[in-house]
Amino acid sequence: MFLSLRFLSARQRRAFRFTSTLPVMFRFRTAAAALPLALALPACSLRMQPAEKPRPNIPVLAQPPIPPRIYKLERLDTLVQLPGRVLTIYPAARPTYEQLKSPAWVVAKPASAEEEEEDSFLDFTVEERRRLAQAGPRVTRTGRTLHLRPGKAAEIRLTNNPVDDERNIAYEYVAALPEIRQWLLSVHLYEGGYFMLVDQRTGRRTQLMAAPVVSPDGRHFVCGNSDVLARFEPSGLQLWSLDDAAPRLLWERQTDWGCTQPRWLDNRTILFEQDFFDKGDVDTRVVRLQVVP
């Protein structure tokens, strides 16, 4: 639209000519000053929009899912070895574990605290008498003394000392292990105890953390113990080699969790019940661990 200067007064014509001759940069600066305001307006409009509503048939989680308690206990998932090697412990399926064989001399853990207390007062001599009847003439008992007769060494005599103090000790014959040519004994102390192998040829004694479980190929055995509640005995795991003339300890780790009834899945891997103390009670899960590289 055009405006004729004829209809303007002299003062209005001078003002019009003045504004028309202003530098062009003044207009650019005015536009530049107004630009941030123009850009800010859309942002303000976005923040003021109503909250997005969930679409139909799509569930909305009020909060992220809480992981099971076991996954918060990182100390249960690794076994650190001295040279810096870390063995990873994985959860395993209980049906698979229950299908694996366990040696007859590995005693199952008590199902309850009452059963554990009852077992602690049982006299092992009754059960030992049955085992000795099947052991043959090389293993006998006379009163408090257990007699072992190795093939190439002198007779070994182990005598119980049933006193009511720290000197208390009792030797229980458990089994003969012909595949590794050892006798297995359980040694009972005033508090706690351990297991011991006696070589059927040389009479050499080897102290173990727990009863041995031999691998299918006969080259290794593991010992797993659990005493996370009373802590009279160390809890943990041992790996032994049978490639030499006598059992040789490859590694041993004492842990704050227990290893109950380890069973071989193959010649390198075991499954066992991992006992751990949590929230004032002992809980258990089945796990898998590769012990042989």
Side-chain angles (χ1 to χ4, degrees):
M1 181 177 179
F2 297 95
L3 180 63
S4 175
L5 297 180
R6 292 183 302 172
F7 302 100
L8 300 178
S9 63
R11 179 178 297 178
Q12 290 175 340
R13 285 197 296 270
R14 285 195 299 269
F16 178 81
R17 293 192 184 99
F18 174 78
T19 55
S20 61
T21 56
L22 285 176
V24 178
M25 288 300 297
F26 178 80
R27 301 175 185 175
F28 287 161
R29 290 175 183 174
T30 304
L35 182 59
L37 180 59
L39 294 176
L41 289 176
C44 295
S45 61
L46 289 177
R47 285 196 292 267
M48 296 177 64
Q49 289 182 358
E52 183 179 357
K53 297 181 180 180
R55 288 177 292 177
N57 302 326
I58 298 180
V60 178
L61 297 178
Q63 59 183 3
I66 300 176
R69 173 68 179 167
I70 188 64
Y71 295 111
K72 295 183 179 180
L73 306 176
E74 294 86 356
R75 58 186 172 84
L76 304 177
D77 294 333
T78 56
L79 185 67
V80 181
Q81 293 186 308
L82 286 180
R85 182 178 176 222
V86 178
L87 304 182
T88 304
I89 300 174
Y90 300 95
R94 180 167 290 277
T96 302
Y97 171 77
E98 293 177 347
Q99 291 176 2
L100 301 176
K101 294 182 179 180
S102 180
W105 57 84
V106 178
V107 181
K109 65 179 181 180
S112 63
E114 292 76 11
E115 184 177 340
E116 182 177 5
E117 183 177 359
E118 180 182 352
D119 290 345
S120 64
F121 289 100
L122 292 179
D123 188 355
F124 66 82
T125 58
V126 176
E127 185 67 20
E128 186 195 52
R129 193 178 299 115
R130 182 188 63 80
R131 301 182 193 130
L132 290 173
Q134 304 174 359
R138 298 175 62 187
V139 183
T140 60
R141 176 177 288 281
T142 304
R144 297 178 180 175
T145 303
L146 181 65
H147 302 266
L148 303 174
R149 301 174 178 87
K152 299 180 180 180
E155 177 182 302
I156 299 174
R157 298 179 181 180
L158 303 172
T159 303
N160 299 342
N161 187 26
V163 296
D164 193 18
D165 56 31
E166 298 292 338
R167 297 173 297 166
N168 184 293
I169 190 170
Y171 299 93
E172 175 189 1
Y173 173 76
V174 176
L177 311 182
E179 64 271 23
I180 60 175
R181 291 181 288 186
Q182 302 280 334
W183 288 304
L184 177 63
L185 308 181
S186 177
V187 183
H188 304 270
L189 303 177
Y190 186 68
E191 289 183 347
Y194 57 89
F195 282 80
M196 182 169 63
L197 291 177
V198 179
D199 196 296
Q200 296 176 359
R201 300 154 296 174
T202 65
R204 178 174 176 173
R205 309 177 197 180
T206 304
Q207 182 173 329
L208 307 177
M209 175 185 293
V213 182
V214 184
S215 62
D217 60 4
R219 298 184 57 187
H220 300 88
F221 68 82
V222 293
C223 302
N225 195 43
S226 177
D227 192 15
V228 297
L229 191 58
R231 298 188 181 275
F232 290 142
E233 304 170 4
S235 297
L237 189 65
Q238 291 177 328
L239 177 65
W240 294 77
S241 172
L242 292 170
D243 290 339
D244 302 327
R248 178 170 58 92
L249 181 63
L250 296 180
W251 54 262
E252 172 185 354
R253 292 297 172 270
Q254 295 187 15
T255 60
D256 59 351
W257 46 261
C259 174
T260 301
Q261 287 197 317
R263 301 176 185 179
W264 290 90
L265 181 64
D266 50 44
N267 292 322
R268 302 169 59 189
T269 307
I270 62 171
L271 270 62
F272 62 92
E273 290 184 317
Q274 185 185 47
D275 306 322
F276 55 95
F277 194 75
D278 183 41
K279 293 186 176 181
D281 198 5
V282 178
D283 203 351
T284 301
R285 66 169 182 168
V286 177
V287 295
R288 172 174 53 90
L289 175 65
Q290 180 179 326
V291 294
V292 180

